Amino acid sequence: MQSSTHARDWSWTFWPAVPLYPYSRRRTTCKEIIKDTIWTFDQLHGILYTIVPIRMTVVKLEAGGLLVYAPVAPTIECVRLVSELVAKHGDVKYIILPTSSGLEHKVFVGPFARRFPQAQVFVAPNQWSFPLNLPLSWLGFPQKRTQILPEDKSLAPFADEFDYEVLDINLGRGSFAEVALFHKRSRSLLVTDSVVSIPEEPPEILQLDPYPLLFHARDNALEVITDNEANRRKGWQRISLFALYFRPSVLKVTELKQMFRDALKAPERSPKSYFGLYPFRWEENWQQSFYALRGNGRPFVAPILQVLILPQAPRQVLNWADKVATWDFQRIIPCHFDSQIQASPSQFRQAFTFLEKNRSVSDELSESTSQPLLEKDFKFIRELEAGLVKRGIATPAQERV
């Protein structure tokens, strides 16, 4: 299953609905996770060259046909790659939207469902839209084929092969939902945003056009953009810190006057390079923050969820994590960053102990798998939270349990 080399096959004309990089040209890579059983389809999304993979997972059904979890943009290239699986394993039977708040996932479901008109669409409960709360049919979802995931899981038509647990947190102006889906036969857990793992090397999808990696690999605006393996790795590691902390402690922002002075001297001042503007300065020990974030590849909860979202309902989140941890999975496939995390149910549950006063896992497990994020890197997100609470946009976190 090879990606296309024709630019027309990457075209995504609906990009203004969610105007994120790479805008109208979205490439797709496909990877077989388990032979003839599970495949992942990666595209890119982000802002200002801070880009990470966004992922769709496709699972073969025992009775024939395919289940699609969290669709990506159905470009010509993407649809061709899926159609190759359809030709071999049968039609797309089920499409799952596993979130109510993730616009970057929701925006693709309607267009994807129209390309596979025989599929039933199942969505997480309490869907909402902003600034107007519109019906799903107005957002492009096929009205006659779309339904909420049954609260009684035995009523789902794929219940024999999958189990699922829904986390649904009421945030006041909308909800945060996450549907964890367990494929029993392959012992694979599919999640959206709840946990991630950071690879040390840049993912394949970013290697197709390494310019964003090389852009962030520089130490200042006067440095020439140079393509080599070390710079690709360096750029990826810095992008990871940007994406998850917004402003980690090891990043300093140049003053406005200095930024423009540097831009005038920059070796490249094209629109692609933002006219030479590069306001970032990294401290020499910046990799310390990256390796603490990576934690040897262990699963963890993204900082913004740790601070802004999950503390709104800690008991509810822990109950959900406890239920998910009863499943006998051996790998986790999230929608972002690493495409496959080799992890046990205990390691998944360990990721949520930041919500506990007294950790429920054993000291031995804690020492071997729980490498804490650096508190100093949370500073910007905690300041953001305080500002949102002060303005009444967010509510204070509940006490840990």
Side-chain angles (χ1 to χ4, degrees), residues 108-138:
F108 300 128
V109 177
F112 192 93
R114 287 195 293 274
R115 297 305 299 266
F116 297 94
Q118 69 288 338
Q120 298 181 57
V121 180
F122 290 89
V123 304
N126 295 319
Q127 294 292 321
W128 57 283
S129 59
F130 181 84
L132 297 175
N133 200 9
L134 302 173
L136 286 178
S137 60
W138 290 26

Side-chain angles (χ1 to χ4, degrees), residues 267-385:
E268 184 180 346
R269 296 192 295 274
S270 66
K272 184 177 182 180
S273 66
Y274 296 119
F275 305 100
L277 297 173
Y278 187 78
F280 311 120
R281 294 288 187 276
W282 292 87
E283 295 182 359
E284 289 186 4
N285 66 336
W286 67 269
Q287 277 192 308
Q288 177 187 359
S289 286
F290 172 76
Y291 286 118
L293 181 71
R294 170 168 159 70
N296 290 322
R298 54 86 173 91
F300 68 98
V301 177
I304 192 168
L305 293 185
Q306 287 199 31
V307 175
L308 292 177
I309 305 298
L310 302 190
Q312 298 295 313
R315 172 46 59 198
Q316 186 180 349
V317 174
L318 291 173
N319 287 343
W320 174 81
D322 285 338
K323 292 176 182 176
V324 172
T326 63
W327 298 332
D328 183 26
F329 55 85
Q330 61 185 12
R331 71 179 56 79
I332 304 172
I333 304 174
C335 285
H336 302 287
F337 291 95
D338 219 344
S339 61
Q340 183 178 187
I341 311 169
Q342 299 298 329
S344 66
S346 296
Q347 289 173 301
F348 173 85
R349 179 58 179 81
Q350 170 72 27
F352 297 89
T353 56
F354 68 92
L355 293 169
E356 299 176 339
K357 287 181 180 177
N358 300 306
R359 297 190 172 193
S360 61
V361 295
S362 69
D363 292 339
E364 180 182 351
L365 178 63
S366 178
E367 291 174 3
S368 63
T369 65
S370 177
Q371 300 183 36
L373 304 181
L374 299 181
E375 181 57 34
K376 63 181 182 179
D377 288 324
F378 280 87
K379 184 174 183 292
F380 179 79
I381 295 178
R382 295 201 189 284
E383 290 174 349
L384 176 63
E385 177 203 25

Side-chain angles (χ1 to χ4, degrees), residues 64-180:
L66 304 168
L67 178 144
V68 173
Y69 180 93
V72 292
T75 61
I76 292 174
E77 177 181 42
C78 176
V79 171
R80 178 181 62 78
L81 291 170
V82 175
S83 296
E84 290 182 29
L85 296 181
V86 168
K88 187 175 181 180
H89 303 292
D91 289 335
V92 174
K93 290 188 175 180
Y94 311 113
I95 298 170
I96 311 295
L97 171 61
T99 177
S100 63
S101 50
L103 186 58
E104 73 276 19
H105 301 286
K106 188 182 303 187
V107 70
F108 300 128
V109 177
F112 192 93
R114 287 195 293 274
R115 297 305 299 266
F116 297 94
Q118 69 288 338
Q120 298 181 57
V121 180
F122 290 89
V123 304
N126 295 319
Q127 294 292 321
W128 57 283
S129 59
F130 181 84
L132 297 175
N133 200 9
L134 302 173
L136 286 178
S137 60
W138 290 26
L139 299 176
F141 286 65
Q143 187 171 9
K144 295 182 179 179
R145 294 189 284 131
T146 301
Q147 56 188 298
I148 297 172
L149 277 166
E151 190 170 344
D152 181 352
K153 297 166 207 153
S154 66
L155 299 178
F158 43 82
D160 288 347
E161 297 186 51
F162 296 86
D163 201 349
Y164 59 87
E165 285 291 342
V166 180
L167 173 64
D168 186 17
I169 302 174
N170 184 357
L171 300 177
R173 291 175 171 81
S175 72
F176 171 87
E178 170 99 2
V179 178

Side-chain angles (χ1 to χ4, degrees), residues 9-24:
D9 294 347
W10 314 333
S11 176
W12 176 242
T13 57
F14 299 118
W15 71 267
V18 181
L20 296 176
Y21 185 94
Y23 311 113
S24 63

Side-chain angles (χ1 to χ4, degrees), residues 181-209:
L181 185 70
F182 175 50
H183 184 229
K184 302 172 187 177
R185 181 162 57 94
S186 69
R187 298 173 62 194
S188 301
L189 174 66
L190 279 56
V191 297
T192 311
D193 301 310
S194 58
V195 296
V196 293
S197 176
I198 309 300
E200 187 169 12
E201 301 292 332
E204 178 188 355
I205 186 68
L206 277 89
Q207 305 270 15
L208 297 180
D209 176 11

